[in-house]
Amino acid sequence: MKNTRAIIVLVLAVLAGLAAVVMAAKWLNQRGGGGAQLVVAARDLNLGQPLEATALTSVSWSAAVLPDGGFRDPKELEGRVLKTAVTRGEPILESKLAAKGSKGGLSAVIGAGKRAITVKVNEVVGVAGFALPGSHVDVMVHTTVDDESNKRNQGAAMSKIVLERILVLAIAQEASRDETKPKVVSAVTLEVTPDQAELLDVARSVGSLSLVLRNQLDTQPTHSMGMSKSDLFTTNPAASAPPAPVAVAPPKAAPVRRVVAAAPRPEPPKPAAPPPEAKPDLTKIEVIRGVSRSTVEM
């Protein structure tokens, strides 16, 4: 009797467990909206690489979070070319593919209306190997001024940024964008417009080029007029500015002294004017003879 009760309890426990599993699976299926097939990369793939069936695989993906532009059948992607690097297990989306009919290679990843030009670099010009595919750089030229109208600055050294926010397509013969380790190479391929390609060709013919690495999120243009040797040795305006005036405390007021005015002294009397000299009378002549004196009128 006891064995029968134990068997009944065991059967009921098993049935309850199966019911719980079925209900949990049903709840997960309703919450996830059902499963769907999504094509992902079976291994790491580089940009410009044509896709093959052996490089792809299908996995079950929740329909509720199925990404836009995904594919369910690997056969749909045969012959398509990647325009960006894809890591193993990453979904293959339409936004990561070049236009249909594109052939493999670097030309498939060049944007519409753009061109690719290769610039010779060294460890310094190539930003110590940090100018990797997918990064953006500014191109700076160092040359001498050749302006006949400006005799004073003619022949002076000058550096100026001529191109801004240029996309690096490849370094040497590698176009993979999943590299994070710096790599020193001898050439860098840049994506430019036709006008920029002409400007870059002129710039490297008149001077030496340098790449300036910039933040990928920085899209602000730089308004620079360039720097010359005279600007390098110009005195810093902030250093030559006169010092700020120092506040000086006002002088203390002098004690007031009481002054008693003295009585005015009497002025001395002015000397009397001398009497006018008597003018001689020319109509009379006084004649003296011995002790007698007489006057004769004329």
Side-chain angles (χ1 to χ4, degrees):
M1 191 69 178
K2 293 182 179 179
N3 294 334
T4 304
R5 289 181 179 179
I7 293 173
I8 293 174
V9 172
L10 181 61
V11 171
L12 292 176
V14 172
L15 292 177
L18 292 175
V21 171
V22 172
M23 292 179 64
K26 184 178 180 180
W27 179 80
L28 291 174
N29 189 28
Q30 292 177 352
R31 185 177 180 86
Q37 294 297 312
L38 183 67
V39 178
V40 298
R43 60 175 183 268
D44 295 343
L45 303 174
N46 295 327
L47 79 164
Q49 179 177 347
L51 296 178
E52 300 176 355
T54 56
L56 306 173
T57 185
S58 297
V59 296
S60 180
W61 204 277
S62 176
V65 292
L66 195 65
D68 296 335
F71 297 87
R72 297 187 178 184
D73 189 359
K75 295 181 180 180
E76 301 178 14
L77 295 172
E78 289 188 8
R80 297 292 299 272
V81 179
L82 289 171
K83 65 177 182 180
T84 182
V86 177
T87 59
R88 181 176 179 270
E90 185 176 350
I92 306 297
L93 306 178
E94 183 65 35
S95 59
K96 300 178 181 179
L97 300 174
K100 292 183 179 181
S102 300
K103 302 298 181 180
L106 185 63
S107 60
V109 303
I110 301 175
K114 297 296 185 68
R115 304 291 187 270
I117 185 171
T118 302
V119 178
K120 185 178 180 181
V121 298
N122 52 31
E123 183 175 358
V124 176
V125 175
V127 201
F130 284 98
L132 300 173
S135 59
H136 290 83
V137 296
D138 294 344
V139 181
M140 182 170 58
V141 61
H142 177 78
T143 183
T144 55
V145 178
D146 188 13
D147 189 359
E148 294 293 339
S149 61
N150 194 344
K151 298 295 185 180
R152 181 178 180 181
N153 294 329
Q154 187 177 4
M158 183 175 183
S159 294
K160 188 180 186 309
I161 295 177
V162 292
L163 293 177
E164 296 184 57
R165 194 171 168 74
I166 302 301
L167 176 64
V168 178
L169 291 177
I171 53 175
Q173 285 78 34
E174 298 183 8
S176 176
R177 301 189 184 185
D178 58 350
E179 296 287 342
T180 57
K181 185 178 180 180
K183 183 179 298 185
V184 178
V185 295
S186 60
V188 173
T189 302
L190 307 175
E191 184 184 65
V192 295
T193 63
D195 293 339
Q196 291 174 337
E198 295 173 350
L199 179 63
L200 185 58
D201 189 62
V202 173
R204 67 181 177 182
S205 66
V206 299
S208 58
L209 300 179
S210 298
L211 302 183
V212 184
L213 188 65
R214 66 184 297 166
N215 192 309
Q216 295 185 8
L217 302 180
D218 182 10
T219 58
Q220 297 296 328
T222 302
H223 303 285
S224 174
M225 300 301 294
M227 286 290 175
S228 62
K229 184 177 179 180
S230 59
D231 298 324
L232 180 64
F233 296 100
T234 301
T235 305
N236 187 1
S240 60
V246 180
V248 180
K252 297 181 179 180
V256 180
R257 296 181 180 180
R258 190 174 181 180
V259 180
V260 179
R265 297 180 180 181
E267 296 182 0
K270 297 181 179 181
E277 295 181 358
K279 295 182 180 181
D281 190 359
L282 301 179
T283 59
K284 295 181 181 182
I285 298 175
E286 185 178 2
V287 179
I288 299 175
R289 294 180 180 176
V291 295
S292 62
R293 178 182 297 178
S294 60
T295 302
V296 181
E297 294 183 359
M298 297 297 293

